[in-house]
């Protein structure tokens, strides 16, 4: 592969008006309308997937008192210097400010949702999902476009279940990861990350958690590479690594088994016999971070996103002003069918319009001249310069809808 030809996501983000970063907020992206289309499509996709898999969507505060992260163990093990902490008073003249934290992860707050009421074994597995906005204090030298940010959006989820449900839950999550990444055409592999030096919980907890994950991998016949000592501080994990267009390795999806957090937050459920038991907590993310995932997709496709993600899916071009009223009607018809369409009615030559549309990586161009109006069809070209000939309008709508719905 010729690497010189490849642009990085920052350059593509500027050229296609998707996103950018600004000195006013280092490490936190600004999303332009076209970038937001991609973000929202991915959000919709992951919401549909999780809803079908029985997850319940939740939302928790961005800023909470630091005491929560002290109790969870993050303050010491994750490191207070890796979070944004602020000393704030409730009143202007209050001389006893309290330490607040911008959450670097959702887990501790998820346990507060769990503790909202007494839980019964009948509710388990309880799957709480959250598209949470997180802040992490990355070093300024390491911040890089959308690949490494200080503010990120995670497609997070926490599953509370009984010990005998671990296999099924972890197994379902691994299947979801595989289906998801196959759809984008990424090569992937799994890695098994075991107990780190800095950790919470007892050795017995770790022995059990590691054994459980190992068993899932074995039963599912998944060969996982080793990431010894690279587990989360509260539990071992199975990470999915993908290879992007440049052959670079990225860790995106993860599933983590945790016996520590239920202990630290004293989580309980009432079992069949009416006795109190501790649930197990499973953490999982499929994208990892939307920002990083979109950066990788942008570089992978070099801005030529598949139709369902393309900010503009088809550009309509009347050859002269004369066909403009007809072109406008067609634009309305495409919009009514849920297709993202724009009209190029600038006083430019057709050649110039075709070139601009291709540079913007718009998947399809529809050209309308007098002959097309007479024959009630439209000439279609692809962004790669392929001439698809003339299509009747109803056939064009059917073709686009089919590609969008199948996420080709
Ligand atoms: Zn978590």
């Amino acid at each position: 592969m010729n690497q010189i030809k490849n642009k990085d996501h920052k350059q593509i983000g500027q050229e296609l008006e998707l996103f950018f970063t600004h000195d006013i907020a280092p490490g936190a992206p600004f999303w332009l309308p076209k970038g937001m289309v991609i973000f929202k499509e991915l959000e919709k996709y992951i919401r549909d997937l999780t809803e079908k898999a029985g997850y319940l969507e939740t939302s928790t505060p961005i800023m909470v008192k630091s005491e929560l992260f002290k109790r969870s163990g993050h303050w010491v093990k994750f490191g207070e210097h890796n979070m944004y902490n602020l000393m704030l008073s409730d009143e202007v003249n209050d001389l006893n400010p309290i330490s607040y934290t911008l959450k670097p992860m959702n887990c501790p707050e998820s346990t507060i949702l769990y503790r909202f009421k007494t839980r019964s074994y009948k509710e388990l597995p309880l799957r709480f999902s959250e598209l949470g906005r997180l802040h992490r204090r990355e070093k300024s030298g390491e911040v890089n476009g959308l690949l490494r940010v200080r503010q990120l959006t995670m497609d997070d989820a926490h599953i509370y279940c009984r010990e005998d449900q671990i296999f099924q839950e972890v197994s379902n999550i691994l299947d979801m990861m595989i289906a998801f990444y196959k759809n984008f055409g990424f090569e992937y592999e799994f890695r098994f990350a075991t107990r780190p030096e800095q950790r919470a919980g007892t050795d017995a907890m770790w022995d059990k958690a590691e054994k459980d994950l190992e068993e899932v991998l074995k039963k599912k016949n998944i060969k996982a590479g080793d990431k010894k000592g690279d587990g989360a501080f509260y539990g071992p994990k199975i990470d999915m690594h993908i290879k992007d267009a440049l052959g670079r390795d990225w860790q995106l999806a993860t599933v983590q088994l945790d016996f520590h957090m239920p202990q630290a937050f004293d989580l309980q459920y009432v079992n069949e016999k009416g006795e109190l038991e501790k649930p197990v907590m499973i953490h999982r993310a499929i994208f990892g971070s939307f920002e990083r995932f979109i950066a990788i997709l942008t570089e992978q496709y070099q801005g030529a996103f598949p139709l369902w993600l393309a900010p503009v899916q088809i550009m309509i071009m009347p050859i002269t002003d004369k066909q403009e009223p007809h072109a406008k009607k067609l634009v309305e018809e495409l919009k009514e069918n849920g297709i993202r369409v724009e009209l190029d009615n600038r006083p430019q030559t057709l050649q110039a319009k075709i070139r601009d549309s291709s540079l913007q990586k718009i998947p399809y161009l529809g050209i309308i001249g007098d002959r097309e109006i007479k024959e009630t069809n439209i000439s279609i070209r692809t962004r790669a310069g392929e001439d698809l000939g003339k299509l009747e309008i109803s056939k064009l709508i059917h073709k686009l809808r089919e590609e969008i719905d199948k996420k080709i």
Side-chain angles (χ1 to χ4, degrees):
M1 182 171 295
N2 183 358
Q3 297 212 5
I4 299 160
K5 259 170 62 190
N6 281 299
K7 296 176 179 174
D8 79 3
H9 70 282
K10 288 173 278 188
Q11 193 183 348
I12 299 168
Q14 290 269 357
E15 286 176 6
L16 301 187
E17 298 188 10
L18 304 174
F19 44 73
F20 62 94
T21 50
H22 192 284
D23 286 347
I24 206 73
F30 282 79
W31 292 90
L32 288 158
K34 285 182 178 163
M36 217 38 216
V37 169
I38 299 171
F39 198 105
K40 284 194 296 183
E41 283 292 344
L42 290 171
E43 229 176 29
K44 203 161 107 212
Y45 184 31
I46 200 72
R47 278 204 165 102
D48 284 352
L49 267 185
T50 46
E51 205 174 300
K52 277 188 198 127
Y55 287 74
L56 307 167
E57 187 167 347
T58 61
S59 179
T60 59
I62 286 180
M63 190 172 81
V64 288
K65 290 180 185 165
S66 308
E67 62 183 66
L68 184 74
F69 293 101
K70 289 178 182 164
R71 185 167 177 186
S72 66
H74 285 96
W75 195 262
V76 174
K77 302 288 195 296
F78 180 78
E80 63 165 296
H81 49 278
N82 292 321
M83 315 181 202
Y84 288 100
N85 304 310
L86 310 108
M87 293 301 286
L88 295 173
S89 329
D90 274 349
E91 308 292 338
V92 177
N93 294 323
D94 190 342
L95 295 178
N96 296 305
I98 295 169
S99 177
Y100 281 85
T101 295
L102 299 183
K103 65 175 170 182
M105 55 258 311
N106 302 299
C107 342
E109 289 188 57
S110 164
T111 67
I112 297 179
L113 292 173
Y114 181 91
R115 283 168 59 112
F116 170 69
K117 62 180 183 179
T118 308
R119 304 287 178 182
S120 148
Y121 71 96
K122 287 184 182 160
E123 285 176 84
L124 308 185
L126 187 59
R127 307 179 188 96
F128 283 150
S129 64
E130 172 161 11
L131 296 175
R133 190 147 275 184
L134 311 177
H135 291 83
R136 294 181 182 179
R137 201 165 177 166
E138 300 286 353
K139 294 194 183 80
S140 58
E142 287 173 8
V143 165
N144 174 15
L146 299 190
L147 281 173
R148 194 172 277 257
V149 286
R150 289 176 172 165
Q151 178 192 280
L152 60 128
T153 318
M154 190 183 268
D155 67 310
D156 211 353
H158 295 97
I159 295 146
Y160 301 90
C161 66
R162 300 190 316 247
E163 284 193 19
D164 64 340
Q165 293 168 327
I166 294 173
F167 175 79
Q168 197 54 53
E169 289 306 307
V170 176
S171 176
N172 290 349
I173 292 165
L174 294 178
D175 288 344
M176 193 192 268
M177 288 178 189
I178 292 170
F180 183 85
Y181 283 98
K182 265 193 182 161
N183 195 30
F184 285 98
F186 284 115
E187 276 177 52
Y188 63 85
E189 61 178 43
F190 289 104
R191 307 230 179 113
F192 179 38
T194 52
R195 68 191 79 184
E197 287 280 318
Q198 278 270 331
R199 60 179 181 263
T202 63
D203 280 351
M205 270 184 199
W206 280 91
D207 287 344
K208 168 142 181 49
E210 286 174 358
K211 205 175 129 260
D212 282 338
L213 287 188
E214 244 169 335
E215 216 168 284
V216 180
L217 289 171
K218 207 171 136 200
K219 279 196 190 156
K220 286 187 79 67
N221 222 353
I222 292 175
K223 291 218 176 359
D226 247 354
K227 265 169 122 177
K228 226 169 171 255
D230 205 29
F233 76 82
Y234 45 75
K237 56 181 185 156
I238 300 170
D239 288 336
M240 188 188 230
H241 285 243
I242 61 133
K243 269 209 180 9
D244 70 8
L246 297 179
R248 293 176 301 184
D249 175 283
W250 297 102
Q251 187 253 302
L252 298 172
T254 184
V255 52
Q256 313 175 346
L257 187 54
D258 180 2
F259 293 97
H260 161 71
M261 217 74 76
Q263 185 106 39
F265 288 100
D266 199 19
L267 306 186
Q268 294 173 330
Y269 68 91
V270 180
N271 71 13
E272 291 94 322
K273 296 177 198 150
E275 301 156 347
L276 290 175
E277 274 197 57
K278 266 196 192 336
V280 181
M281 191 168 170
I282 299 170
H283 311 241
R284 78 103 183 96
I286 306 290
F287 291 125
S289 114
F290 274 75
E291 288 76 8
R292 176 179 287 191
F293 187 69
I294 291 174
I296 293 167
L297 282 187
T298 304
E299 293 186 11
Q300 168 96 346
Y301 296 123
Q302 287 291 295
F305 293 97
L307 190 65
W308 71 282
L309 285 176
V312 178
Q313 293 167 321
I314 181 165
M315 180 67 87
I316 302 297
M317 301 173 185
I319 294 180
T320 67
D321 289 353
K322 222 172 88 192
Q323 297 94 18
E324 203 179 311
H326 185 84
K328 278 185 174 160
K329 255 191 254 161
L330 176 63
V331 165
E332 285 315 308
E333 198 176 343
L334 289 165
K335 274 187 187 162
E336 278 165 23
N337 282 279
I339 293 160
R340 293 189 289 270
V341 53
E342 278 185 9
L343 176 71
D344 189 349
N345 56 358
R346 297 173 303 159
Q348 308 271 353
T349 63
L350 187 63
Q351 247 53 39
K353 289 184 188 182
I354 291 173
R355 193 193 59 226
D356 288 349
S357 183
S358 296
L359 284 174
Q360 284 294 304
K361 315 273 180 172
I362 297 168
Y364 291 105
L365 339 177
I367 300 160
I368 300 181
D370 280 341
R371 195 187 296 169
E372 281 83 359
I373 293 179
K374 204 166 140 220
E375 295 170 4
T376 65
N377 57 26
I378 181 166
S379 294
I380 300 293
R381 292 169 67 111
T382 69
R383 61 186 157 202
E386 197 187 345
D387 187 351
L388 300 185
K390 288 175 182 170
L391 273 184
E392 275 176 37
I393 307 305
S394 61
K395 287 218 172 96
L396 170 68
I397 290 173
H398 182 76
K399 174 183 162 59
L400 295 180
R401 278 284 10 137
E402 198 175 23
E403 276 180 47
I404 293 167
D405 294 340
K406 282 189 181 161
K407 295 191 165 44
I408 300 171

